[in-house]
Amino acid sequence: MSATETSNGGARGFWQRTYAMLVKEFLQLRRDRVSFAMIVMLPIMQLLLFGYAINTTPRNLPTAVLLQEDSDLGRSILKALQNTAYFRFTREVHTVAEFDSLLESGKVLFGVEIPRGFERAVRRGDKPALLVAADATDPVASGSALGALGQIAQSALKHDLYAGDPPSMPFEIRAHARYNPAAESRLNIVPGLVGTILTMTMLIFTALSVTREIERGTMENLLAMPITPVEVMLGKIIPYVLVGFLQATIIIGIGYFLFHVPILGSLSVLAALSTLFIAANLSIGYTFSTIAQNQLQAMQMSMMFFLPNILLSGFMFPFAGMPVWAQWIGEALPLTHYIRIVRAIMLKGASLENLQYDAIALSVLVLVAMSIAVTRFRRTLD
């Protein structure tokens, strides 16, 4: 055989072997349906979420009103607020305590107070004050709405006191940005990072737990032991609860000492609700580990679940500015409730009474996730 033939045979053999390897890889990919689904679904999910759900200029933000007098001017001001498209009145309260409680719990982002005798004071030229209180823990959500307040007086007065523009402003609007008056981003980001980091690490740790046992061949030894599925799950989950506490302590400690993020609420309440949050994520990760056939699939499922958590929870983008369908999805995610909890406790000093809704929601998610995890693990044993 000549040198030329040897060279051609070598080149032909190289491409034949490469082609065979390429075909083998495509066949393997086709058999791995979970990975193939992730390849298709991940870009679709990202496109839909960023295109439809994410809104950096949120509108129709939930607002409470404390109307201490029912007057034409007061109604015109409220109508002018609604016409800006930033404010949506969802609650009417009758006391200052109710007003403050709604802001602390996060049920509303704004509160408008029209004091008693407001219209009479305007007509006398006393220049009374109209209070607009804003929950500024998320500066992006509150900034645009507060910036639109200057146009409200002009719009309201044209209909009630003057035919055209008023010669001077007959009342003042006092905008009070509560909890983060300087709109510092670190006060918003650091508390949210507690939940985001815990979600990522807890999901990954437990998502690999069962698949790691299967790949190492130790699952058979585990199944031969006189132990129930619940005992196996608790034995695998409880150590990571302690790991989660350690991570949360480190993040909150760094936020407090290095970034000067205040902790105004009860640490014991924060610890108790953090337990619920960690348990929910560990149960979800454990469910993934019973579905996945290998560690790669478990990682892919974790990332697929983590993506909507970080986008729809209110961590990166204002939750109140999302469309209703995206908010419904967000309400089903543990991170949404935990971010509200940790921000409210650290920045607002909120109590457990203020956080009842999110605490109950987390408890329900824990029960559902644990039930699914135990059921899936029993099927794995069968």
Side-chain angles (χ1 to χ4, degrees):
M1 182 181 292
S2 65
T4 303
E5 291 175 340
T6 302
S7 176
N8 291 337
R12 185 166 54 252
F14 168 80
W15 287 111
Q16 288 175 343
R17 291 189 295 272
T18 302
Y19 177 74
M21 191 65 196
L22 184 148
V23 172
K24 178 258 180 192
E25 197 63 28
F26 272 113
L27 291 174
Q28 183 68 29
L29 182 62
R30 189 178 66 179
R31 294 191 188 102
D32 189 354
R33 295 182 179 179
V34 174
S35 296
F36 186 75
M38 297 295 174
I39 292 172
V40 175
M41 289 302 299
L42 197 59
I44 293 176
M45 180 182 290
Q46 286 181 314
L47 183 61
L48 292 177
L49 291 181
F50 277 100
Y52 290 107
I54 305 306
N55 183 8
T56 56
T57 55
R59 303 295 182 97
N60 299 314
L61 302 173
T63 306
V65 58
L66 176 57
L67 193 60
Q68 297 187 355
E69 73 165 18
D70 187 11
S71 63
D72 292 338
L73 181 58
R75 287 193 295 271
S76 293
I77 290 174
L78 295 180
K79 185 65 175 177
L81 282 167
Q82 284 185 314
N83 288 340
T84 64
Y86 287 108
F87 304 92
R88 176 171 55 89
F89 293 103
T90 58
R91 302 290 183 96
E92 183 175 348
V93 298
H94 302 92
T95 65
V96 176
E98 290 180 81
F99 187 85
D100 293 337
S101 178
L102 287 174
L103 283 171
E104 286 181 7
S105 64
K107 294 177 181 177
V108 298
L109 292 183
F110 295 91
V112 180
E113 179 183 357
I114 299 179
R116 188 172 286 104
F118 179 77
E119 183 170 0
R120 191 188 328 163
V122 169
R123 294 184 183 278
R124 285 203 310 257
D126 293 341
K127 203 168 186 180
L130 171 74
L131 173 65
V132 178
D135 178 354
T137 52
D138 188 347
V140 176
S142 60
S144 299
L146 289 177
L149 291 176
Q151 306 170 1
I152 294 170
Q154 299 285 341
S155 175
L157 292 172
K158 281 182 180 180
H159 295 87
D160 287 273
L161 299 181
Y162 302 94
D165 293 338
S168 63
M169 188 67 65
F171 66 90
E172 61 176 317
I173 298 178
R174 292 180 185 171
H176 183 198
R178 297 188 181 182
Y179 317 123
N180 185 11
E184 298 180 58
S185 59
R186 59 187 171 83
L187 298 185
N188 176 57
I189 292 174
V190 173
L193 278 176
V194 180
T196 304
I197 294 174
L198 285 176
T199 298
M200 181 174 62
T201 54
M202 295 297 100
L203 282 175
I204 292 175
F205 286 158
T206 49
L208 301 178
S209 60
V210 173
T211 52
R212 187 188 301 115
E213 299 277 3
I214 295 174
E215 290 189 353
R216 290 177 178 176
T218 56
M219 179 58 76
E220 294 180 359
N221 297 331
L222 189 63
L223 298 180
M225 298 173 61
I227 190 170
T228 65
V230 175
E231 293 166 347
V232 173
M233 186 180 76
L234 291 178
K236 285 183 170 294
I237 282 179
I238 290 175
Y240 294 118
V241 174
L242 301 178
V243 172
F245 270 119
L246 177 61
Q247 287 185 327
T249 302
I250 291 172
I251 299 167
I252 292 174
I254 292 175
Y256 181 77
F257 291 106
L258 188 60
F259 296 103
H260 307 293
V261 179
I263 305 176
L264 303 179
S266 169
L267 284 176
S268 60
V269 173
L270 180 59
L273 296 179
S274 295
T275 303
L276 286 175
F277 175 69
I278 292 170
N281 282 293
L282 291 176
S283 301
I284 293 169
Y286 197 82
T287 302
F288 291 158
S289 72
T290 62
I291 299 173
Q293 299 175 355
N294 51 60
Q295 294 188 58
L296 176 61
Q297 289 185 0
M299 286 287 293
Q300 290 172 332
M301 290 179 183
S302 299
M303 291 299 102
M304 196 73 171
F305 182 75
F306 181 68
L307 179 62
N309 267 273
I310 198 171
L311 293 180
L312 300 181
S313 63
F315 171 66
M316 292 184 64
F317 305 98
F319 184 84
M322 298 177 187
V324 175
W325 64 266
Q327 292 186 24
W328 277 106
I329 296 174
E331 293 289 347
L333 302 174
L335 185 58
T336 302
H337 303 284
Y338 187 69
I339 284 180
R340 291 176 189 161
I341 288 169
V342 72
R343 285 176 177 169
I345 292 176
M346 293 183 69
L347 303 181
K348 304 177 183 179
S351 63
L352 184 59
E353 183 181 357
N354 300 130
L355 302 171
Q356 284 183 1
Y357 168 73
D358 293 301
I360 293 172
L362 270 184
S363 301
V364 171
L365 289 173
V366 168
L367 292 175
V368 172
M370 282 192 168
S371 300
I372 295 174
V374 172
T375 303
R376 284 295 315 174
F377 187 64
R378 282 176 176 161
R379 291 180 183 175
T380 303
L381 295 182
D382 297 338

